[in-house]
Amino acid sequence: MASPITRSVPIDVLFVIVPHALLLDIAGPAEALRLVNLRCEQRNQPPRFRLRFAGPVTQPRTSVGLALAELEPLPRVLEGPTWVVVPGQPSAQLRNVTRPIIDTAKWLNATLRASLLERATRGAESRNRLVTICSGTLLAARAGLADQRQCTTHHDLLEELHRLAPRAQVVDNRVFVIDGPLASSAGITAGIDLMLHLIADECGEAMAAGVAEDMVVYLRRSSNDPEMSPFLAHRRHLHGAVHKVQNAISAEPERDWDMASMAAIGHVTERHLLRLFLTNAGVSPLNYLRAIRLEIARESMEHGASVSRAAEKAGFTSSLQLRRAWSRHWGGSPSEGAGRGMR
């Protein structure tokens, strides 16, 4: 995962909404992004995302009959780095290739094709990203944006995706697939999983874990994905005190933590905190702290930090302490393992 990027201006996230769009495909990912901005505001930081909603018609009805109002028209150009999010439609609507669908496919092709092809041919980082939710991948396929890319959609629509994009590498049995600037998800709630993954890539895994906790949803990984990060692996529970301590550790891993200071954060005794962690998180507080620090150290070294600098950033008292913890946890030494993406 790339290190979190600090931006002076927020990323535009443009939801492209066609008639009968699945409401949760819009609301789920949008809420995750809103919560990122809320957390930034609470830390006196600028927002990371600017949410925009556009479409071929200004007042489309969604899948549940609720009408949206005052959508932007589809912009002629994307002014800055933009994530274009394409929600899906119910299966019954996909048979009706209406004028709004045709117009949107043409707009997607004209607006994003150059961005997606640039990275594929030159290996450059694209300024823009296309995110498709559920059957939204079919609209991307109609626009010619899935060609020669790995992508996925709802399992009932995989054959149709093959038909619309015969040159695409359609992947089944996956929650989401990311191939360069094209990110596609398999279903409605999988769109939230995908957005949380993109948030982790852009803002850091601690931010994504916090947003997932706020939404009471957790990242799902397929068998082909890497093992879950320590920031997320012990967060599949609903205990407020344990989450509070985990949030504090993730936010300040370099702090001089001990059981007493952790228990004070959770407003419980040390013995009770240990019992709560073991019951709800499946790990002791000190082992959780060590796992977080090891992950931060590993990421730091992957981005060029020395062992001593990585140890300092992660909260180890010395490079020797990091080496010992690394050896007990993974075996070998930090210099041998950091570049192999060990988890």
Side-chain angles (χ1 to χ4, degrees):
M1 184 193 76
S3 60
I5 302 169
T6 301
R7 298 182 184 273
S8 57
V9 294
I11 294 174
D12 272 7
V13 182
L14 181 68
F15 286 79
V16 175
I17 300 170
V18 298
H20 308 290
L22 288 157
L23 187 58
L24 190 54
D25 282 6
I26 304 166
E31 275 297 312
L33 297 168
R34 182 188 70 84
L35 289 168
V36 171
N37 287 343
L38 178 61
R39 283 176 166 262
C40 289
E41 180 183 350
Q42 292 168 346
R43 300 173 187 176
N44 296 316
Q45 297 172 350
R48 299 300 293 271
F49 302 102
R50 183 166 75 110
L51 273 63
R52 300 169 57 192
F53 303 90
V57 296
T58 57
Q59 294 183 310
R61 288 199 174 275
T62 63
S63 58
V64 296
L66 179 69
L68 304 179
E70 299 182 3
L71 296 187
E72 295 180 38
L74 296 171
R76 289 192 305 108
V77 294
L78 303 178
E79 298 292 346
T82 303
W83 293 359
V84 175
V85 181
V86 181
Q89 295 176 289
S91 298
Q93 296 295 330
L94 298 175
R95 294 188 292 271
N96 303 318
V97 184
T98 58
R99 174 53 58 183
I101 295 296
I102 294 170
D103 290 344
T104 303
K106 289 180 177 177
W107 177 86
L108 286 168
N109 181 283
T111 307
L112 288 175
R113 189 169 181 80
S115 295
L116 271 65
L117 284 178
E118 179 184 54
R119 190 180 190 280
T121 56
R122 293 162 49 183
E125 285 295 330
S126 174
R127 298 170 66 248
N128 304 316
R129 179 183 288 283
L130 175 60
V131 181
T132 62
I133 312 297
C134 193
S135 64
T137 311
L138 301 186
L139 188 49
R142 292 186 187 278
L145 300 180
D147 290 348
Q148 300 178 346
R149 293 268 179 200
Q150 290 191 356
C151 57
T152 194
T153 188
H154 191 276
H155 57 83
D156 285 341
L157 302 172
L158 291 169
E159 289 187 10
E160 181 67 4
L161 181 55
H162 275 291
R163 186 185 71 80
L164 290 172
R167 292 191 293 170
Q169 301 172 44
V170 178
V171 182
D172 61 6
N173 196 28
R174 292 282 293 277
V175 175
F176 57 80
V177 173
I178 298 177
D179 185 354
L182 175 60
S184 54
S185 69
I188 295 175
T189 57
I192 299 174
D193 294 314
L194 173 56
M195 191 56 71
L196 288 171
H197 181 90
L198 296 177
I199 288 169
D201 197 44
E202 178 66 29
C203 305
E205 291 189 347
M207 175 67 82
V211 170
E213 178 194 344
D214 291 340
M215 298 181 75
V216 200
V217 296
Y218 298 90
L219 293 185
R220 297 178 295 174
R221 304 296 178 102
S222 77
S223 59
N224 292 326
D225 285 323
E227 185 179 342
M228 188 168 284
S229 158
F231 284 97
L232 303 168
H234 302 289
R235 304 298 293 255
R236 293 179 180 270
H237 63 84
L238 299 177
H239 199 286
V242 177
H243 275 307
K244 192 172 184 180
V245 175
Q246 289 175 314
N247 289 342
I249 289 171
S250 296
E252 296 182 279
E254 74 285 356
R255 180 173 163 182
D256 186 19
W257 291 104
D258 56 19
M259 283 296 294
S261 57
M262 293 181 194
I265 294 288
H267 301 292
V268 294
T269 65
E270 294 179 41
R271 179 176 295 180
H272 190 44
L273 180 66
L274 176 60
R275 187 181 304 115
L276 290 175
F277 258 77
L278 292 174
T279 300
N280 294 279
V283 65
S284 73
L286 292 177
N287 282 340
Y288 179 79
L289 171 65
R290 185 179 66 178
I292 293 295
R293 285 176 169 173
L294 281 169
E295 179 68 2
I296 291 171
R298 184 193 65 77
E299 288 185 358
S300 296
M301 286 184 287
E302 278 195 349
H303 291 91
S306 65
V307 174
S308 8
R309 178 69 188 99
E312 179 184 358
K313 183 176 180 181
F316 290 102
T317 57
S318 66
S319 59
L320 178 60
Q321 188 187 45
L322 168 58
R323 292 178 193 279
R324 287 174 174 169
W326 189 289
S327 178
R328 286 196 299 270
H329 192 76
W330 283 315
S333 68
S335 57
E336 293 171 349
R340 298 200 299 265
M342 299 179 67
R343 291 284 180 183

